[in-house]
Amino acid sequence: MTKINIKKELETKSDSLILGLFEDELNYYEQVNPELDKKIQLAVKRKKFSTKKYSYYTTQITNSAYESITVINLGKKTDMDMETLRVSMSIAVKEVNKQKLDSFTTNITDILREIKKLSDADIGLSIAEGIILSSYKFDKYLKTKNHSLKEVSLQWNDKDTILKKAMTQGIIISEATNLTRDLVNEPSNVVNPSYIEKICRELAKKNSKLKIKVLGKKELQAKKMNGILSVSNGGNESPRLIILEYNNNPRQNKTAIVGKGVTFDTGGINLKPEAGLIDMKMDMGGAAAIIGTMKAVCELDLKQNIIGVIPTCENMISGTSYKPGDIITMYNGSTVEIHNTDAEGRMILADAITYADKDLKASTIIDIATLTGACMVALGYEASGLISKDENLISNLFSAGERSKDRVWPLPFYDEYQNKMDGDLSDYINLSREGNGKLAGAITAGVFLSKFVKNANWAHIDIAGPAYIPTEKSYNPKYGTGAGTRLLVYYFLNN
Ligand code: BES
Ligand code: ZN
Ligand code: ZN
């Protein structure tokens, strides 16, 4: 883990020096260090460094205490926000790692303190996130490991109490996100339903405020949770419904967060095509986000009641798989005719949502899932889809997304959509008839889920795009990003 220190002055023992610069003040170092300034101006002239935000330039000066100096363009002073800080830290971490150096010190914190655009708390939170999220690596299966930065010293010439507290929060949130990333990146021969159970049990053991309950196959059968049972039928792993209960405020209502935990999605009898099949180990991204969120919630000691609910199984193809045309009586008593076995996420979520509503009596339910390719078509990798009928929930989740930049975008949920999942042989079908589930696919999936909420305020988040990305994007590595974890934690921090 990268260690973060706070120092009144720049740390001269660091290997590298990272300096910030605003695009409207490229000659900022003219007074303090004319030699450095000259180098910067020459680099601008030679187009090695520019007035563009996040442009950076690595150089050296005579008698320097450091092995290298990197200048990062932070953009305009007036545009400064938390994301600028996260991204500029990701540039610093990567540049220092590229040079195989172990530590850096930076004045960026101190520059920001002086311009007073961000609160000390926002600086602490986002700088820690930028450093810890960018330092993440998934190289456990590689013989040759990549270089990793060990220590960062931040310059902060003031009282550091608020900064320190926020930094601790940022570290907790980022490590929780890194756990979510690990779970998504691990292959499905490691992360299967029993592994998910093991991780949850370990989490509950470490945190005395967290209580765990696991419904195994027998209990699911006893409760007639046939949505989860049917999807799991084709595989050898037995399904589970895992409940992680965190009660830390007797005067408050309960929020249940429900995450799809399909540890591998073959599509079942409606087998998926070859392209993209390898990525389907990520279909437990919702469950991973719940596990990361619960870890952070415990460590942040939030004064709330939050219950993680994880239905987990595999969607496999075999002689015992559930089939198109099967009619399944769900946990809430409604019947569903299967029109596509690849629309399995909604089947397991439906029972889990009923459980959160009926058994747990949660007043708010937020489900999170890698639910539809249609949502990826709509929003790409840049935002998760958000569906709810509750304006407050939409607005609070939207704000949490904007602040964390683990973003969500609301999709319409018009009355006209609400009968698209009605069946003729059963109460519901699991695939909309319009365009074979492809027309408004993310929304009709949401319509299906909404039929299983009776009392709670409910929101659905489709993370199919952002959860797993093909190329790295600043502090998000390629593959598992941990999407959903920071979104939910920021949501709880503000509520
Ligand atoms: N797990 C997939 C959705 C998915 C696709 C997530 C790509 C991440 C990347 C889900 O179970 C699924 O297969 N959905 C179908 C629904 C369709 C049959 C209505 C889809 O999106 O095609
Ligand atoms: Zn599927
Ligand atoms: Zn799936």
PDB file of all heavy atoms in Angstrom, residues 15 53 59 76 95 97 139 145 175 186 194 210 229 240 252 279 348 350 366 410 418 426 440 476 482:
ATOM      1  N   ASP A  15      12.112  10.713  -4.099  1.00  0.00           N
ATOM      2  CA  ASP A  15      12.837  10.473  -5.355  1.00  0.00           C
ATOM      3  C   ASP A  15      12.459  11.496  -6.426  1.00  0.00           C
ATOM      4  O   ASP A  15      13.273  11.890  -7.244  1.00  0.00           O
ATOM      5  CB  ASP A  15      12.509   9.077  -5.905  1.00  0.00           C
ATOM      6  CG  ASP A  15      13.009   7.983  -4.970  1.00  0.00           C
ATOM      7  OD1 ASP A  15      13.914   8.270  -4.167  1.00  0.00           O
ATOM      8  OD2 ASP A  15      12.484   6.858  -5.051  1.00  0.00           O
ATOM      9  N   LYS A  53      -4.958  21.380 -20.240  1.00  0.00           N
ATOM     10  CA  LYS A  53      -5.095  20.751 -18.918  1.00  0.00           C
ATOM     11  C   LYS A  53      -4.558  19.311 -18.969  1.00  0.00           C
ATOM     12  O   LYS A  53      -4.814  18.594 -19.931  1.00  0.00           O
ATOM     13  CB  LYS A  53      -6.566  20.750 -18.524  1.00  0.00           C
ATOM     14  CG  LYS A  53      -6.819  20.321 -17.100  1.00  0.00           C
ATOM     15  CD  LYS A  53      -8.279  20.567 -16.709  1.00  0.00           C
ATOM     16  CE  LYS A  53      -8.491  20.186 -15.260  1.00  0.00           C
ATOM     17  NZ  LYS A  53      -9.852  20.463 -14.801  1.00  0.00           N
ATOM     18  N   THR A  59      11.473  16.844 -16.245  1.00  0.00           N
ATOM     19  CA  THR A  59      12.765  17.467 -16.524  1.00  0.00           C
ATOM     20  C   THR A  59      13.685  17.338 -15.295  1.00  0.00           C
ATOM     21  O   THR A  59      13.372  16.634 -14.347  1.00  0.00           O
ATOM     22  CB  THR A  59      12.557  18.948 -16.935  1.00  0.00           C
ATOM     23  OG1 THR A  59      13.807  19.478 -17.327  1.00  0.00           O
ATOM     24  CG2 THR A  59      11.959  19.783 -15.818  1.00  0.00           C
ATOM     25  N   LYS A  76      -7.414  25.656 -15.607  1.00  0.00           N
ATOM     26  CA  LYS A  76      -7.693  27.010 -15.098  1.00  0.00           C
ATOM     27  C   LYS A  76      -8.005  26.972 -13.613  1.00  0.00           C
ATOM     28  O   LYS A  76      -8.685  26.065 -13.138  1.00  0.00           O
ATOM     29  CB  LYS A  76      -8.922  27.570 -15.821  1.00  0.00           C
ATOM     30  CG  LYS A  76      -8.684  27.923 -17.275  1.00  0.00           C
ATOM     31  CD  LYS A  76      -9.818  28.857 -17.757  1.00  0.00           C
ATOM     32  CE  LYS A  76      -9.652  29.199 -19.218  1.00  0.00           C
ATOM     33  NZ  LYS A  76      -9.861  28.033 -20.100  1.00  0.00           N
ATOM     34  N   GLU A  95       3.659   8.454 -13.828  1.00  0.00           N
ATOM     35  CA  GLU A  95       4.953   8.957 -14.291  1.00  0.00           C
ATOM     36  C   GLU A  95       6.078   8.455 -13.369  1.00  0.00           C
ATOM     37  O   GLU A  95       7.126   8.035 -13.835  1.00  0.00           O
ATOM     38  CB  GLU A  95       4.906  10.501 -14.351  1.00  0.00           C
ATOM     39  CG  GLU A  95       6.162  11.169 -14.874  1.00  0.00           C
ATOM     40  CD  GLU A  95       6.509  10.819 -16.319  1.00  0.00           C
ATOM     41  OE1 GLU A  95       5.686  10.191 -17.013  1.00  0.00           O
ATOM     42  OE2 GLU A  95       7.636  11.174 -16.750  1.00  0.00           O
ATOM     43  N   ASN A  97       5.990   5.768 -11.432  1.00  0.00           N
ATOM     44  CA  ASN A  97       6.112   4.322 -11.645  1.00  0.00           C
ATOM     45  C   ASN A  97       6.876   4.007 -12.926  1.00  0.00           C
ATOM     46  O   ASN A  97       7.676   3.079 -12.969  1.00  0.00           O
ATOM     47  CB  ASN A  97       4.735   3.654 -11.697  1.00  0.00           C
ATOM     48  CG  ASN A  97       4.246   3.263 -10.313  1.00  0.00           C
ATOM     49  OD1 ASN A  97       5.043   3.020  -9.405  1.00  0.00           O
ATOM     50  ND2 ASN A  97       2.943   3.216 -10.143  1.00  0.00           N
ATOM     51  N   ASP A 139      -1.805  -7.883 -10.497  1.00  0.00           N
ATOM     52  CA  ASP A 139      -0.711  -8.609 -11.144  1.00  0.00           C
ATOM     53  C   ASP A 139      -0.358  -9.899 -10.410  1.00  0.00           C
ATOM     54  O   ASP A 139       0.737 -10.437 -10.557  1.00  0.00           O
ATOM     55  CB  ASP A 139       0.527  -7.707 -11.309  1.00  0.00           C
ATOM     56  CG  ASP A 139       1.012  -7.119 -10.001  1.00  0.00           C
ATOM     57  OD1 ASP A 139       0.471  -7.505  -8.941  1.00  0.00           O
ATOM     58  OD2 ASP A 139       1.927  -6.280 -10.027  1.00  0.00           O
ATOM     59  N   LYS A 145       6.246  -8.606 -11.803  1.00  0.00           N
ATOM     60  CA  LYS A 145       5.341  -7.581 -11.276  1.00  0.00           C
ATOM     61  C   LYS A 145       5.749  -6.201 -11.793  1.00  0.00           C
ATOM     62  O   LYS A 145       6.929  -5.952 -12.053  1.00  0.00           O
ATOM     63  CB  LYS A 145       5.400  -7.551  -9.737  1.00  0.00           C
ATOM     64  CG  LYS A 145       5.292  -8.900  -9.072  1.00  0.00           C
ATOM     65  CD  LYS A 145       3.880  -9.428  -9.070  1.00  0.00           C
ATOM     66  CE  LYS A 145       3.786 -10.751  -8.358  1.00  0.00           C
ATOM     67  NZ  LYS A 145       2.764 -11.633  -8.914  1.00  0.00           N
ATOM     68  N   GLU A 175      -9.522   1.931  -0.868  1.00  0.00           N
ATOM     69  CA  GLU A 175      -9.174   0.525  -0.633  1.00  0.00           C
ATOM     70  C   GLU A 175     -10.395  -0.366  -0.807  1.00  0.00           C
ATOM     71  O   GLU A 175     -10.289  -1.491  -1.303  1.00  0.00           O
ATOM     72  CB  GLU A 175      -8.545   0.353   0.742  1.00  0.00           C
ATOM     73  CG  GLU A 175      -7.164   0.973   0.751  1.00  0.00           C
ATOM     74  CD  GLU A 175      -6.377   0.641   1.996  1.00  0.00           C
ATOM     75  OE1 GLU A 175      -6.973   0.482   3.072  1.00  0.00           O
ATOM     76  OE2 GLU A 175      -5.151   0.545   1.874  1.00  0.00           O
ATOM     77  N   GLU A 186     -10.709 -11.088 -10.612  1.00  0.00           N
ATOM     78  CA  GLU A 186     -10.449 -12.515 -10.374  1.00  0.00           C
ATOM     79  C   GLU A 186     -11.306 -13.341 -11.332  1.00  0.00           C
ATOM     80  O   GLU A 186     -12.474 -13.040 -11.537  1.00  0.00           O
ATOM     81  CB  GLU A 186     -10.821 -12.892  -8.928  1.00  0.00           C
ATOM     82  CG  GLU A 186      -9.810 -12.461  -7.878  1.00  0.00           C
ATOM     83  CD  GLU A 186      -8.559 -13.342  -7.830  1.00  0.00           C
ATOM     84  OE1 GLU A 186      -8.454 -14.289  -8.628  1.00  0.00           O
ATOM     85  OE2 GLU A 186      -7.693 -13.045  -6.987  1.00  0.00           O
ATOM     86  N   SER A 194     -19.333 -19.731  -3.673  1.00  0.00           N
ATOM     87  CA  SER A 194     -18.793 -20.052  -2.341  1.00  0.00           C
ATOM     88  C   SER A 194     -17.677 -19.086  -1.962  1.00  0.00           C
ATOM     89  O   SER A 194     -17.498 -18.757  -0.787  1.00  0.00           O
ATOM     90  CB  SER A 194     -18.322 -21.508  -2.252  1.00  0.00           C
ATOM     91  OG  SER A 194     -17.473 -21.812  -3.323  1.00  0.00           O
ATOM     92  N   LEU A 210     -20.935  -5.719  11.806  1.00  0.00           N
ATOM     93  CA  LEU A 210     -21.538  -6.349  10.629  1.00  0.00           C
ATOM     94  C   LEU A 210     -22.005  -7.763  10.969  1.00  0.00           C
ATOM     95  O   LEU A 210     -21.231  -8.580  11.448  1.00  0.00           O
ATOM     96  CB  LEU A 210     -20.475  -6.395   9.513  1.00  0.00           C
ATOM     97  CG  LEU A 210     -20.957  -6.558   8.082  1.00  0.00           C
ATOM     98  CD1 LEU A 210     -21.890  -5.430   7.691  1.00  0.00           C
ATOM     99  CD2 LEU A 210     -19.747  -6.581   7.136  1.00  0.00           C
ATOM    100  N   LEU A 229     -33.088 -19.951  -7.684  1.00  0.00           N
ATOM    101  CA  LEU A 229     -32.876 -21.395  -7.866  1.00  0.00           C
ATOM    102  C   LEU A 229     -32.861 -21.779  -9.351  1.00  0.00           C
ATOM    103  O   LEU A 229     -32.001 -22.553  -9.787  1.00  0.00           O
ATOM    104  CB  LEU A 229     -33.957 -22.188  -7.117  1.00  0.00           C
ATOM    105  CG  LEU A 229     -33.795 -22.169  -5.584  1.00  0.00           C
ATOM    106  CD1 LEU A 229     -35.092 -22.594  -4.895  1.00  0.00           C
ATOM    107  CD2 LEU A 229     -32.632 -23.060  -5.138  1.00  0.00           C
ATOM    108  N   ARG A 240     -26.627 -18.844  -3.454  1.00  0.00           N
ATOM    109  CA  ARG A 240     -26.763 -18.306  -2.104  1.00  0.00           C
ATOM    110  C   ARG A 240     -27.438 -16.944  -2.133  1.00  0.00           C
ATOM    111  O   ARG A 240     -27.308 -16.220  -3.115  1.00  0.00           O
ATOM    112  CB  ARG A 240     -25.378 -18.098  -1.478  1.00  0.00           C
ATOM    113  CG  ARG A 240     -24.678 -19.397  -1.105  1.00  0.00           C
ATOM    114  CD  ARG A 240     -23.191 -19.192  -1.109  1.00  0.00           C
ATOM    115  NE  ARG A 240     -22.461 -20.361  -0.683  1.00  0.00           N
ATOM    116  CZ  ARG A 240     -22.171 -21.395  -1.468  1.00  0.00           C
ATOM    117  NH1 ARG A 240     -22.597 -21.450  -2.717  1.00  0.00           N
ATOM    118  NH2 ARG A 240     -21.443 -22.390  -0.998  1.00  0.00           N
ATOM    119  N   GLN A 252     -33.104   5.400  12.873  1.00  0.00           N
ATOM    120  CA  GLN A 252     -33.240   5.631  11.437  1.00  0.00           C
ATOM    121  C   GLN A 252     -33.800   4.424  10.706  1.00  0.00           C
ATOM    122  O   GLN A 252     -33.727   3.304  11.203  1.00  0.00           O
ATOM    123  CB  GLN A 252     -31.853   5.954  10.876  1.00  0.00           C
ATOM    124  CG  GLN A 252     -31.865   7.087   9.867  1.00  0.00           C
ATOM    125  CD  GLN A 252     -30.558   7.126   9.093  1.00  0.00           C
ATOM    126  OE1 GLN A 252     -29.889   6.115   8.903  1.00  0.00           O
ATOM    127  NE2 GLN A 252     -30.204   8.299   8.620  1.00  0.00           N
ATOM    128  N   ASP A 279     -15.457 -11.862 -20.927  1.00  0.00           N
ATOM    129  CA  ASP A 279     -15.701 -10.787 -19.956  1.00  0.00           C
ATOM    130  C   ASP A 279     -16.783 -11.140 -18.942  1.00  0.00           C
ATOM    131  O   ASP A 279     -16.989 -10.411 -17.967  1.00  0.00           O
ATOM    132  CB  ASP A 279     -16.120  -9.503 -20.673  1.00  0.00           C
ATOM    133  CG  ASP A 279     -15.024  -8.978 -21.589  1.00  0.00           C
ATOM    134  OD1 ASP A 279     -13.850  -9.309 -21.349  1.00  0.00           O
ATOM    135  OD2 ASP A 279     -15.351  -8.247 -22.546  1.00  0.00           O
ATOM    136  N   ILE A 348     -32.719 -13.247 -10.528  1.00  0.00           N
ATOM    137  CA  ILE A 348     -32.149 -13.416  -9.175  1.00  0.00           C
ATOM    138  C   ILE A 348     -32.345 -12.134  -8.350  1.00  0.00           C
ATOM    139  O   ILE A 348     -32.585 -12.193  -7.152  1.00  0.00           O
ATOM    140  CB  ILE A 348     -30.658 -13.869  -9.204  1.00  0.00           C
ATOM    141  CG1 ILE A 348     -29.710 -12.771  -9.664  1.00  0.00           C
ATOM    142  CG2 ILE A 348     -30.475 -15.103 -10.091  1.00  0.00           C
ATOM    143  CD1 ILE A 348     -28.235 -13.121  -9.416  1.00  0.00           C
ATOM    144  N   ALA A 350     -34.871 -10.105  -8.611  1.00  0.00           N
ATOM    145  CA  ALA A 350     -36.287 -10.007  -8.241  1.00  0.00           C
ATOM    146  C   ALA A 350     -36.532 -10.656  -6.876  1.00  0.00           C
ATOM    147  O   ALA A 350     -37.155 -10.053  -5.992  1.00  0.00           O
ATOM    148  CB  ALA A 350     -37.160 -10.658  -9.311  1.00  0.00           C
ATOM    149  N   ILE A 366     -31.852  -0.017  -3.081  1.00  0.00           N
ATOM    150  CA  ILE A 366     -31.090   0.371  -4.275  1.00  0.00           C
ATOM    151  C   ILE A 366     -30.450  -0.900  -4.809  1.00  0.00           C
ATOM    152  O   ILE A 366     -29.672  -1.547  -4.104  1.00  0.00           O
ATOM    153  CB  ILE A 366     -29.988   1.400  -3.934  1.00  0.00           C
ATOM    154  CG1 ILE A 366     -30.593   2.646  -3.283  1.00  0.00           C
ATOM    155  CG2 ILE A 366     -29.208   1.781  -5.192  1.00  0.00           C
ATOM    156  CD1 ILE A 366     -29.572   3.608  -2.689  1.00  0.00           C
ATOM    157  N   PRO A 410     -29.962   9.382 -15.306  1.00  0.00           N
ATOM    158  CA  PRO A 410     -31.342   8.885 -15.202  1.00  0.00           C
ATOM    159  C   PRO A 410     -31.944   8.543 -16.569  1.00  0.00           C
ATOM    160  O   PRO A 410     -31.787   9.302 -17.523  1.00  0.00           O
ATOM    161  CB  PRO A 410     -32.110  10.052 -14.566  1.00  0.00           C
ATOM    162  CG  PRO A 410     -31.102  11.078 -14.215  1.00  0.00           C
ATOM    163  CD  PRO A 410     -29.841  10.801 -14.957  1.00  0.00           C
ATOM    164  N   GLN A 418     -44.633   0.656 -18.613  1.00  0.00           N
ATOM    165  CA  GLN A 418     -44.878  -0.194 -17.435  1.00  0.00           C
ATOM    166  C   GLN A 418     -45.548  -1.539 -17.724  1.00  0.00           C
ATOM    167  O   GLN A 418     -45.526  -2.428 -16.883  1.00  0.00           O
ATOM    168  CB  GLN A 418     -45.655   0.586 -16.354  1.00  0.00           C
ATOM    169  CG  GLN A 418     -44.995   1.911 -15.933  1.00  0.00           C
ATOM    170  CD  GLN A 418     -43.569   1.752 -15.406  1.00  0.00           C
ATOM    171  OE1 GLN A 418     -43.237   0.775 -14.730  1.00  0.00           O
ATOM    172  NE2 GLN A 418     -42.687   2.706 -15.724  1.00  0.00           N
ATOM    173  N   SER A 426     -48.345 -15.990 -18.206  1.00  0.00           N
ATOM    174  CA  SER A 426     -47.828 -15.785 -16.842  1.00  0.00           C
ATOM    175  C   SER A 426     -48.011 -14.307 -16.499  1.00  0.00           C
ATOM    176  O   SER A 426     -48.317 -13.504 -17.385  1.00  0.00           O
ATOM    177  CB  SER A 426     -46.333 -16.111 -16.825  1.00  0.00           C
ATOM    178  OG  SER A 426     -45.677 -15.267 -17.761  1.00  0.00           O
ATOM    179  N   ALA A 440     -35.307  -0.227 -25.807  1.00  0.00           N
ATOM    180  CA  ALA A 440     -35.358   0.267 -24.415  1.00  0.00           C
ATOM    181  C   ALA A 440     -35.035  -0.858 -23.435  1.00  0.00           C
ATOM    182  O   ALA A 440     -35.670  -1.001 -22.385  1.00  0.00           O
ATOM    183  CB  ALA A 440     -36.727   0.880 -24.101  1.00  0.00           C
ATOM    184  N   ASN A 476      -8.716   5.014 -13.219  1.00  0.00           N
ATOM    185  CA  ASN A 476      -9.363   3.719 -13.394  1.00  0.00           C
ATOM    186  C   ASN A 476      -8.518   2.833 -14.296  1.00  0.00           C
ATOM    187  O   ASN A 476      -8.232   3.189 -15.433  1.00  0.00           O
ATOM    188  CB  ASN A 476     -10.763   3.890 -13.989  1.00  0.00           C
ATOM    189  CG  ASN A 476     -11.788   4.239 -12.929  1.00  0.00           C
ATOM    190  OD1 ASN A 476     -11.763   3.690 -11.828  1.00  0.00           O
ATOM    191  ND2 ASN A 476     -12.669   5.168 -13.249  1.00  0.00           N
ATOM    192  N   GLY A 482     -14.296  -0.991 -10.256  1.00  0.00           N
ATOM    193  CA  GLY A 482     -14.883  -0.772  -8.922  1.00  0.00           C
ATOM    194  C   GLY A 482     -16.116   0.111  -8.987  1.00  0.00           C
ATOM    195  O   GLY A 482     -16.565   0.631  -7.953  1.00  0.00           O
TER     196      GLY A 482
END
